[in-house]
């Protein structure tokens, strides 16, 4: 989805090296986001647009954080989300092929980053309205904090990736337990 791809522009090294990167500053990353989500922008964000993107990102991340901990959406958050969406009005368009099914589409009225932010905000609003907010998660590996939507049937996805963060945390738990056992063994030893 567009909104979680966007939020994950705040990248952290999940292996715990402490390295992090703001991928909004990476040309190739931004170009891929534009391409993958067909955003109607023709240039990389200017410094001013970058400020807007970052301020929108921290707002959105704040909302995701509170939702992920089980909190209900605040009225003020709904208002602010609506404000971000108002920045990019849409026009309706009927797509009718000769024999294919007809579909209605929405196209941003103007191109540019303000419209793109509205698109991102809109994709989040669609998830809240049509998906399940309770499936919005933040990876429980504290070094990772990747944002994702848990689409597993039993809602059991605790990590962004079982093989990566899941295994890493398993190893960490094992080591912590071993360390604890080792030190209690020593205490039991006769002096
Ligand atoms: Zn993770």
């Amino acid at each position: 989805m567009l909104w979680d791809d966007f939020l994950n522009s705040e990248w952290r090294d999940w292996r715990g090296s402490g390295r992090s990167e703001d991928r909004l500053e990476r040309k190739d990353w931004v170009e891929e986001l534009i391409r993958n989500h067909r955003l109607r922008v023709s240039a990389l964000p200017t410094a001013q647009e970058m400020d807007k993107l970052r301020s929108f990102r921290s707002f959105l991340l704040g909302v995701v954080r509170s939702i992920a901990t089980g909190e209900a959406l605040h009225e003020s958050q709904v208002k602010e989300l609506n404000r971000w969406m108002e920045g990019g009005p849409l026009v309706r368009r009927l797509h009718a092929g000769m024999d294919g099914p007809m579909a209605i589409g929405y196209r941003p009225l103007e191109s540019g980053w303000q419209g793109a932010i509205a698109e991102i905000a809109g994709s989040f609003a669609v998830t809240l309205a049509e998906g399940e907010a309770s499936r919005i998660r933040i990876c429980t590996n504290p070094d990772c904090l990747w944002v994702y939507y848990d689409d597993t049937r039993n809602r059991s996805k605790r990590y962004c990736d079982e093989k990566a963060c899941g295994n890493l945390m398993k190893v960490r738990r094992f080591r912590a337990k071993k360390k604890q056992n080792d030190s209690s063994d020593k205490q039991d030893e006769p002096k």
Side-chain angles (χ1 to χ4, degrees):
M1 283 178 286
L2 173 57
W3 65 267
D4 57 348
D5 279 357
F6 169 72
L7 280 182
N8 288 323
S9 57
E10 268 196 307
W11 178 87
R12 291 175 195 80
D13 184 6
W14 57 275
R15 286 159 299 223
S17 69
R19 277 196 308 131
S20 64
E21 183 179 61
D22 185 353
R23 294 193 158 163
L24 284 178
E25 280 173 13
R26 257 177 54 182
K27 186 173 176 279
D28 58 340
W29 191 91
V30 174
E31 282 171 348
E32 204 183 315
L33 185 80
I34 295 170
R35 211 171 32 244
N36 287 349
H37 297 284
R38 298 188 188 162
L39 297 176
R40 276 170 55 92
V41 285
S42 48
L44 289 171
T46 60
Q48 210 182 359
E49 287 163 336
M50 193 63 106
D51 284 348
K52 271 223 160 125
L53 281 163
R54 287 208 180 101
S55 113
F56 171 60
R57 186 176 60 185
S58 52
F59 158 71
L60 194 59
L61 195 60
V63 177
V64 163
R65 274 195 195 126
S66 61
I67 288 178
T69 54
E71 272 179 56
L73 211 62
H74 299 281
E75 204 188 317
S76 63
Q77 291 172 324
V78 176
K79 272 191 187 154
E80 188 167 349
L81 188 64
N82 281 332
R83 255 203 313 277
W84 285 110
M85 286 194 287
E86 279 162 18
L90 302 168
V91 286
R92 298 171 201 81
R93 203 183 184 95
L94 179 67
H95 301 283
M98 274 308 168
D99 6 73
M102 286 193 262
I104 186 142
Y106 300 91
R107 199 169 50 87
L109 196 55
E110 290 159 53
S111 59
W113 283 100
Q114 186 158 317
I117 290 176
E119 281 283 290
I120 301 166
S123 86
F124 184 65
V126 167
T127 297
L128 293 180
E130 295 169 11
E132 291 172 75
S134 60
R135 288 181 180 275
I136 294 172
R137 306 251 188 285
I138 294 176
C139 180
T140 43
N141 170 4
D143 292 316
C144 174
L145 305 179
W146 190 262
V147 173
Y148 62 95
Y149 186 80
D150 179 4
D151 50 11
T152 58
R153 213 201 309 194
N154 56 2
R155 303 158 174 271
S156 58
K157 208 169 166 215
R158 291 178 56 216
Y159 303 103
C160 64
D161 186 324
E162 253 331 297
K163 285 198 190 87
C165 287
N167 277 337
L168 183 84
M169 293 301 280
K170 216 184 278 174
V171 170
R172 280 187 193 165
R173 276 197 302 274
F174 174 78
R175 281 190 191 143
K177 212 172 164 188
K178 192 166 179 292
K179 209 172 158 189
Q180 205 178 27
N181 287 344
D182 287 355
S183 58
S184 58
D185 281 354
K186 266 176 212 145
Q187 275 164 16
D188 292 342
E189 274 168 26
K191 296 210 169 81

